[in-house]
Amino acid sequence: MPEGPSILIMKESIVKFAGEKIISANGNAKIDMEKIPGLTLEEIKTYGKQTYLVCGEFTIRIHLLMFGSYSVDEQTKPDQRLRLHLQFKSGDLYFYTCSVKLLDREVLKEIDWNADVLSDDWKPLKARKKLKAIPDALVCDVLLDQNIFSGVGNIIKNEVLFRIGVHPESKVGNLPPAKLSALIKEARDYSFDFLKWKKEYVLKKHWLVHTKRICPKCGGTLTKKHLGITNRRSFYCEKDQKLY
DNA sequence: TGCCATGTTAAACT
DNA sequence: GAGTTTAACATGGC
């Protein structure tokens, strides 16, 4: 479920609780549940794949990891699997199989909001600067670096590299300036396409290489390999994606 | 049926 | 203590 765009969709479906007081909190999350009731959920902020429920001096940070899910108003899984349930006057919010932390609100000040590819605060120039500092890093790794491209996940990584015709094992420092620009631009643009397609339930249909076997451009066989220090699945065309 | 994957953290190593 | 590697988490699709 969760790359950055999916998290934005989650935010849209839970934002209706913003401004409401939390009546009760329970679940198997290892946090101090007693501190939560009575707090007002002031705001919901997302940063890449993380969601911050901001309330008073605290913020509840939710990360869906690989298999996390949520539901609104109706508990959809057995009580035993419930990680966090927040009860509001107007309804209920449920989270499952996710990382939950109760943090000091101050942590929000430490976040580099300019790194969130889906945010209005996204600053491509800043991303470029960060990339310039690590010329030996592979493009397949840097796209997954949440400090540079917060919200980008493995699907977006694979699709972006195909779109710009760059081999996943290319070194960042070897990319011509125009390709570097394209990388940064597509990381954001594809994320918005992902968001749009996900909302329309047609995301998979639009995958060009991720989990695919045939290159949509040349008809050749795609390579599937775990690459980089992140060692995540890469799907790419040896012919249409140039190694820099 | 068993494998593995849209992800990250923390423990266990060196 | 640092940096690096491994395991844990635990669901659902193929």
Side-chain angles (χ1 to χ4, degrees):
Chain A
M1 140 125 261
E3 295 194 24
S6 304
I7 302 307
L8 263 196
I9 292 170
M10 174 168 86
K11 180 185 174 180
E12 281 181 24
S13 61
I14 70 177
V15 75
K16 64 168 189 162
F17 294 119
E20 283 197 58
K21 193 194 274 186
I22 300 168
I23 297 168
S24 72
N26 65 281
N28 62 19
K30 290 186 181 67
I31 59 168
D32 202 346
M33 293 288 178
E34 292 92 72
K35 287 184 174 162
I36 299 175
L39 296 173
T40 296
L41 173 58
E42 291 158 39
E43 192 185 356
I44 297 163
K45 295 174 86 74
T46 61
Y47 172 67
K49 300 164 189 170
Q50 330 221 41
T51 304
Y52 291 91
L53 308 177
V54 187
C55 20
E57 58 181 305
F58 302 111
T59 180
I60 304 170
R61 190 187 70 190
I62 311 277
H63 196 304
L64 262 32
L65 300 174
M66 201 90 101
F67 328 119
S69 61
Y70 63 97
S71 62
V72 174
D73 294 339
E74 203 174 328
Q75 190 177 335
T76 55
K77 294 188 181 171
D79 205 64
Q80 183 195 356
R81 289 190 197 165
L82 184 59
R83 180 89 3 117
L84 179 65
H85 165 212
L86 298 177
Q87 186 197 359
F88 299 92
K89 194 172 178 185
S90 77
D92 297 86
L93 185 48
Y94 304 89
F95 294 100
Y96 311 90
T97 329
C98 54
S99 158
V100 178
K101 288 225 160 124
L102 184 61
L103 303 171
D104 195 294
R105 185 186 186 135
E106 294 296 300
V107 300
L108 295 172
K109 291 182 183 164
E110 318 275 300
I111 293 172
D112 176 12
W113 301 97
N114 298 329
D116 187 340
V117 295
L118 285 159
S119 158
D120 291 341
D121 297 325
W122 166 246
K123 290 269 192 301
L125 275 177
K126 207 159 160 184
R128 195 182 191 97
K129 210 171 269 179
K130 290 173 186 170
L131 292 172
K132 285 283 185 193
I134 46 168
D136 290 333
L138 303 184
V139 292
C140 62
D141 288 326
V142 300
L143 274 170
L144 294 173
D145 187 331
Q146 300 301 296
N147 294 312
I148 305 175
F149 298 106
S150 185
V152 170
N154 205 37
I155 297 171
I156 295 174
K157 174 198 83 178
N158 283 323
E159 295 294 316
V160 163
L161 290 176
F162 180 75
R163 273 191 173 184
I164 65 173
V166 171
H167 191 290
E169 286 182 295
S170 301
K171 280 191 181 183
V172 173
N174 291 346
L175 291 181
K179 277 295 176 196
L180 186 62
S181 302
L183 177 80
I184 296 165
K185 185 172 190 303
E186 276 302 334
R188 178 173 166 91
D189 289 355
Y190 186 83
S191 295
F192 279 105
D193 285 342
F194 184 124
L195 177 63
K196 175 172 167 282
W197 292 329
K198 180 95 186 172
K199 280 182 182 173
E200 295 165 357
Y201 304 102
V202 293
L203 177 65
K204 283 189 190 180
K205 198 174 85 179
H206 288 274
W207 288 348
L208 297 177
V209 290
H210 188 77
T211 72
K212 301 291 177 190
R213 294 193 56 241
I214 306 296
C215 174
K217 205 165 167 187
C218 71
T221 308
L222 293 172
T223 305
K224 171 189 166 184
K225 222 174 185 179
H226 286 72
L227 298 177
I229 54 167
T230 48
N231 201 33
R232 302 291 303 278
R233 284 199 301 179
S234 286
F235 295 86
Y236 57 99
C237 178
E238 301 275 6
K239 218 172 106 194
D240 291 308
Q241 293 177 249
K242 191 174 167 191
L243 180 63
Y244 290 94

